[in-house]
Amino acid sequence: MIRFDHATKSYPGGTVAVDDLQLEAPTGQITVLVGPSGCGKTTSLRMINRMIEPTSGKVWLDDTDTASMPAHELRRQIGYVIQHAGLFPHRTIVDNVATVPFLLGTDKKQARARSMELLERVGLDPAFAKRYPAQLSGGQQQRVGVARALAADPPVMLMDEPFSAVDPVVRDQLQDEFLRLQSDLGKTIVFVTHDIDEAIKLGDQVAVLRVGGTLAQLATPRELLSRPVDAFVAGFVGRDRGYRALGFTQSGSLRTHEEPTVTLGDPLPSGSDRDWVLVVDAAGAPQGWLHLGDQPRGAVVEDRMLYRGGTLATQGGTLRAALDACLSSPSGRGVVVDEAGRLIGTVTAREVLDLIESQGTPS
């Protein structure tokens, strides 16, 4: 458990970065700090590991005042992940991950073995171990940064906008991987972001901060979306918070329609009265939509022909995912798959909206 006890950070000249912050981050949960630029998110985070010292008030780690501990001992208990990974460019990936165990005196062979386990755990090919950071993509470097933070098995992790420097597709993958890791490890995590969608997706609880470093609201994502405490929070969360709230409402078993398909490598279907046809692979997993009017008669279906902008909804997933699958599909038909990613059928936006209406407004 991490607790801010009237913590304040001010600077000469009167600037107040964090003002009388009272906040508890429960053990084993993800607490996300979110807010506009200048609201004190990163300052609050760095007060936990004493990279920034509070001007007044205290920060507690379980039952211990962090100010009573030597800073180096405190930081050994805390993993720290930053925006650009902060890897050592002259060290291999395996040795970057093993940095803290090396410093703690762990045998090199043992530390490197642990590093290899962690690289696999964060979804990296062990073949990357002997490479250098410059040989990895931004997303891969961020995975290494997470692995390095986990190397000494700290009970607490601090994460300062760790996924903001990568493209949206990679960012979504990293978020999913992070949630999978947390379900296995159960760390106490404080996570900083400026992105409300990321906060809602990742947080067990979300703390919205105002400019000047004051706490506006601390709530679960569902409560934040349905009951913002004031106009500032409502404005920051955004006008489409009702749509975001659908991410917490299960769709149940969607009634789908059978969707005609064509398999990659097969000839285009003839005599179809539809403009769009869904393309699947040999295992029945959707690959994208094909516009029949754009292709010459007798052509063979290839990857390059496909429209891949549509999202997929998993049967039994959320209403938001189901509606997004419909709205993002060029055919207007949302694609529904099973847990293995195989096609079940399609559904229309009207059908999803009727289901939303029948279930009532999400709360």
Side-chain angles (χ1 to χ4, degrees):
M1 181 269 292
I2 299 166
R3 180 162 58 91
F4 291 88
D5 183 8
H6 297 279
T8 296
K9 179 61 183 180
S10 58
Y11 293 95
T15 300
V16 178
V18 178
D19 189 9
D20 195 36
L21 182 60
Q22 298 182 71
L23 172 67
E24 182 173 308
T27 299
Q29 294 189 17
I30 303 172
T31 297
V32 180
L33 307 182
V34 66
S37 298
C39 69
K41 301 184 296 293
T42 295
T43 301
S44 300
L45 188 81
R46 292 181 178 180
M47 285 198 288
I48 297 171
N49 63 2
R50 291 181 57 196
M51 291 181 70
I52 294 177
E53 299 281 358
T55 307
S56 62
K58 297 180 179 180
V59 179
W60 297 82
L61 181 60
D62 293 328
D63 296 323
T64 304
D65 177 1
T66 56
S68 68
M69 304 171 62
H72 67 280
E73 290 185 11
L74 171 67
R75 291 168 189 159
R76 286 176 183 171
Q77 302 178 45
I78 299 174
Y80 189 43
V81 186
I82 59 176
Q83 183 174 352
H84 293 284
L87 304 178
F88 297 113
H90 60 288
R91 305 187 74 172
T92 62
I93 297 305
V94 68
D95 284 345
N96 260 283
V97 175
T99 297
V100 174
F102 284 163
L103 293 174
L104 295 177
T106 303
D107 174 79
K108 284 192 175 183
K109 184 177 180 180
Q110 182 180 346
R112 285 174 174 154
R114 167 70 172 158
S115 296
M116 295 299 294
E117 292 174 9
L118 286 169
L119 288 175
E120 291 192 63
R121 178 157 245 177
V122 299
L124 282 175
D125 190 320
F128 290 153
K130 294 184 178 181
R131 297 185 185 180
Y132 290 86
Q135 297 173 298
L136 272 59
S137 69
Q140 291 165 345
Q141 289 183 33
Q142 286 302 134
R143 290 174 187 264
V144 176
V146 173
R148 184 174 64 179
L150 291 168
D153 196 21
V156 173
M157 288 185 66
L158 308 181
M159 308 187 76
D160 191 0
E161 302 205 49
F163 309 142
S164 63
V166 295
D167 68 73
V169 173
V170 173
R171 184 175 190 171
D172 192 58
Q173 293 171 349
L174 289 171
Q175 290 168 351
D176 290 342
E177 194 75 19
F178 171 66
L179 288 173
R180 182 192 63 78
L181 274 172
Q182 174 64 356
S183 70
D184 293 340
L185 302 176
K187 301 291 185 182
T188 302
I189 297 173
V190 180
F191 190 108
V192 164
T193 181
H194 64 276
D195 184 338
I196 188 62
D197 281 315
E198 183 168 68
I200 288 167
K201 179 177 180 177
L202 300 183
D204 292 301
Q205 64 174 9
V206 179
V208 181
L209 302 180
R210 306 178 195 272
V211 173
T214 60
L215 179 63
Q217 185 171 4
L218 176 66
T220 65
R222 182 191 292 268
E223 182 183 355
L224 189 68
L225 291 169
S226 61
R227 292 186 290 276
V229 71
D230 58 20
F232 167 76
V233 176
F236 186 79
V237 171
R239 294 181 180 177
D240 59 345
R241 61 181 180 275
Y243 174 64
R244 292 191 180 106
L246 294 175
F248 301 101
T249 306
Q250 300 303 305
S251 66
S253 182
L254 289 166
R255 296 179 61 183
T256 60
H257 306 280
E258 185 176 350
E259 183 69 34
T261 63
V262 61
T263 304
L264 279 171
D266 284 355
L268 287 176
S270 59
S272 174
D273 60 353
R274 298 193 175 200
D275 291 332
W276 294 90
V277 64
L278 184 63
V279 179
V280 298
D281 64 13
Q287 300 299 299
W289 289 95
L290 179 67
H291 191 256
L292 295 176
D294 294 340
Q295 310 302 330
R297 181 174 297 180
V300 172
V301 179
E302 300 177 25
D303 268 331
R304 61 181 178 80
M305 301 176 177
L306 304 187
Y307 178 94
R308 298 180 181 273
T311 59
L312 303 177
T314 303
Q315 183 70 286
T318 66
L319 285 170
R320 178 176 178 173
L323 184 57
D324 187 72
C326 299
L327 297 178
S328 64
S329 170
S331 71
R333 303 187 295 276
V335 179
V336 181
V337 297
D338 62 17
E339 291 291 343
R342 295 183 295 263
L343 175 68
I344 293 176
T346 56
V347 65
T348 67
R350 181 67 267 169
E351 290 165 333
V352 177
L353 290 171
D354 286 344
L355 184 58
I356 293 169
E357 186 175 0
S358 70
Q359 293 191 11
T361 303
S363 62

